[in-house]
Amino acid sequence: MNFPPATQFPPLILDDIKGAQKMLSGVSRVTAMEGSRHLTDLVGAPVRFKCENLQRTGSFKLRGAYVRIAGLSPVERAAGVVAASAGNHAQGVALASALLGVRATVFMPVGAPLPKVAATREYGARVRLHGHVVDETLAAAQEYAQETGAVFIHPFDHPDIIAGQGTVGLEILEQCPEVRTIVVGIGGGGLAAGIAVAVKAVRPDVRIVGVQAAGAAAYPPSLAAGHPVSIGSLQTMADGMKVGRPGDVPFPLIRDLVDEVRTVSEDELSSALLLCLERAKMVVEPAGASPVAALLSDPKSFRGPVVALLSGGNVDPLLMQRILTHGMSAAGRYLSLRLRLTDRPGALATMLAVLSVADANVLDVSHVRTDPRLGLTEAEVELHLETKGPEHCAEVHAALRDAGYLVLN
């Protein structure tokens, strides 16, 4: 199913977003805004979190999905709706459809996290697993729409979706009228575009900074080219940002209204997620933590007060475990290394004593004696340690080297 070009849609204006806000009254939550003392100290100005991770379905997606489906004609509603998503949009469409009494079919990738699949079904949608990447799933959903007449609900490329997401911007202005910078993650662009339209219409002085994962950053080359362009491989843990091409509808809004688009690395995303969990007691998915990652990467470049949008909290527990380990490693809190020692009784205990003096907590030890690369009197040890930061990691390395051990990595 092909949408009309963006120029065929009427321009999105503040009144559209105010209308969406009225429509969402009693449906979506006015999510909390919480202060972050740690980031406030780093930035040197107040930093607050807009907690859409606490929204119904665990993300902002309900807002746009409800506004889009509520705007369908009776004939369109009777035909049902169909969507394609790996998680957040799926749940938003499922709940919105249930609230409006519309039949929903949601296509999800075969490898979609089980909790997200289960939640989508529990909200009342019929789930069909198809494809291993979102593009395959999207194609299947569009084919289903053509065959059945169901209305395809795009995750970001429609004015009604953008208007619904823009209600977040109105809430930010109401909850933090003194805001000077808003930092928001960008996938396809619906959320950032909606916020930009709402905020710039009321407070054109507010700086809006978009953030993308470096491994899935389609907006920087598109902005440079002046039109949406597709990028190749998408490599990021932030599933909510795995969009290879900006939407035709949100792109001109972001081009004209968003002041800057930055990228963040996987290490920065991991560290941000860990900070949200430890310091803010917030469960946030990688895409939702991208504004925090941007603040951590260059805190002095933001003019405060700053509002960082935590856009979602739907993260698979197994992925969370891997991300936390990665985040601890990126923050210097987790150290893996291999070293050689003489294979004799008591050698391992002696080495562990060195680590004890260095105050490193040993999480796991693997002791190898039979590798053909080792000499007859050598053994290799792989260690996983809990440490206190980059300086402590350097101290552990130095203590081992000073004790005569060959550290291999």
Side-chain angles (χ1 to χ4, degrees):
M1 177 178 291
N2 295 319
F3 287 102
T7 54
Q8 293 187 21
F9 287 117
L12 189 69
I13 60 175
L14 179 62
D15 285 346
D16 297 319
I17 299 175
K18 288 183 175 179
Q21 188 177 43
K22 292 180 181 178
M23 188 181 296
L24 287 167
S25 177
V27 176
S28 65
R29 293 172 181 157
V30 177
T31 50
M33 189 169 286
E34 301 287 346
S36 171
R37 185 170 60 184
H38 179 72
L39 287 175
T40 292
D41 290 342
L42 289 178
V43 173
V47 175
R48 299 189 178 111
F49 293 148
K50 174 61 172 168
C51 303
E52 281 295 288
N53 58 313
L54 303 180
Q55 184 57 262
R56 296 178 72 179
T57 75
S59 88
F60 69 95
K61 288 288 190 177
L62 171 65
R63 297 173 183 263
Y66 188 91
V67 172
R68 174 77 172 99
I69 297 170
L72 299 178
S73 69
V75 172
E76 289 172 322
R77 290 196 191 193
V81 299
V82 60
S85 168
N88 288 345
H89 181 59
Q91 294 174 68
V93 168
L95 179 56
S97 299
L99 294 172
L100 292 164
V102 177
R103 184 177 68 257
T105 301
V106 176
F107 284 75
M108 303 182 76
V110 173
L114 293 178
K116 294 184 178 182
V117 175
T120 303
R121 285 185 172 132
E122 288 170 7
Y123 288 128
R126 184 170 64 125
V127 174
R128 298 182 62 171
L129 301 178
H130 184 93
H132 294 278
V133 296
V134 174
D135 286 345
E136 295 173 356
T137 308
L138 184 65
Q142 291 174 324
E143 183 179 350
Y144 177 88
Q146 292 172 345
E147 292 174 352
T148 65
V151 178
F152 179 66
I153 307 299
H154 199 284
F156 53 82
D157 214 11
H158 192 281
D160 290 347
I161 294 286
I162 297 171
Q165 321 305 28
T167 59
V168 178
L170 295 181
E171 290 179 16
I172 290 173
L173 293 179
E174 292 164 1
Q175 294 170 308
C176 185
E178 70 277 17
V179 63
R180 299 180 73 187
T181 304
I182 297 173
V183 191
V184 55
I186 298 180
L191 177 62
I195 289 175
V197 170
V199 171
K200 291 291 188 177
V202 180
R203 287 278 310 282
D205 60 301
V206 173
R207 183 171 179 81
I208 299 177
V209 178
V211 185
Q212 290 206 290
Y219 265 89
S222 297
L223 292 170
H227 58 84
V229 298
S230 299
I231 58 174
S233 177
L234 302 175
Q235 300 293 333
T236 179
M237 70 178 78
D239 288 344
M241 291 182 162
K242 281 188 175 181
V243 179
R245 182 183 184 278
D248 290 323
V249 182
F251 176 79
L253 299 173
I254 289 176
R255 179 196 61 205
D256 297 340
L257 299 174
V258 172
D259 296 279
E260 179 186 2
V261 176
R262 302 187 181 192
T263 61
V264 292
S265 68
E266 298 299 285
D267 283 350
E268 288 165 342
L269 285 171
S270 296
S271 297
L273 190 146
L274 187 62
L275 182 142
C276 289
L277 190 63
E278 285 193 322
R279 298 297 183 96
K281 315 306 177 191
M282 291 281 181
V283 176
V284 184
E285 61 191 88
S290 59
V292 179
L295 288 169
L296 288 174
S297 67
D298 191 6
K300 297 303 181 184
S301 65
F302 293 89
R303 184 179 60 178
V306 178
V307 173
L309 178 57
L310 308 182
S311 60
N314 293 317
V315 56
D316 179 55
L318 294 177
L319 176 62
M320 172 70 87
Q321 184 179 23
R322 294 197 298 271
I323 291 172
L324 289 178
T325 300
H326 187 81
M328 288 181 69
S329 180
R333 302 268 304 281
Y334 184 84
L335 177 62
S336 297
L337 51 82
R338 292 182 303 119
L339 52 84
R340 295 277 174 87
L341 49 76
T342 302
D343 188 16
R344 57 177 175 76
L348 182 59
T350 302
M351 183 268 296
L352 293 175
V354 174
L355 294 173
S356 178
V357 172
D359 204 20
N361 184 31
V362 179
L363 301 176
D364 188 40
V365 178
S366 177
H367 194 196
V368 178
R369 294 187 179 90
T370 58
D371 192 304
R373 294 172 301 173
L374 299 174
L376 291 175
T377 62
E378 287 183 321
E380 186 172 292
V381 176
E382 182 175 351
L383 296 162
H384 300 281
L385 309 173
E386 183 182 1
T387 48
K388 301 173 183 177
E391 292 183 1
H392 189 211
C393 289
E395 291 171 4
V396 171
H397 274 279
L400 289 168
R401 285 194 300 266
D402 291 344
Y405 295 103
L406 174 62
V407 180
L408 302 175
N409 63 342

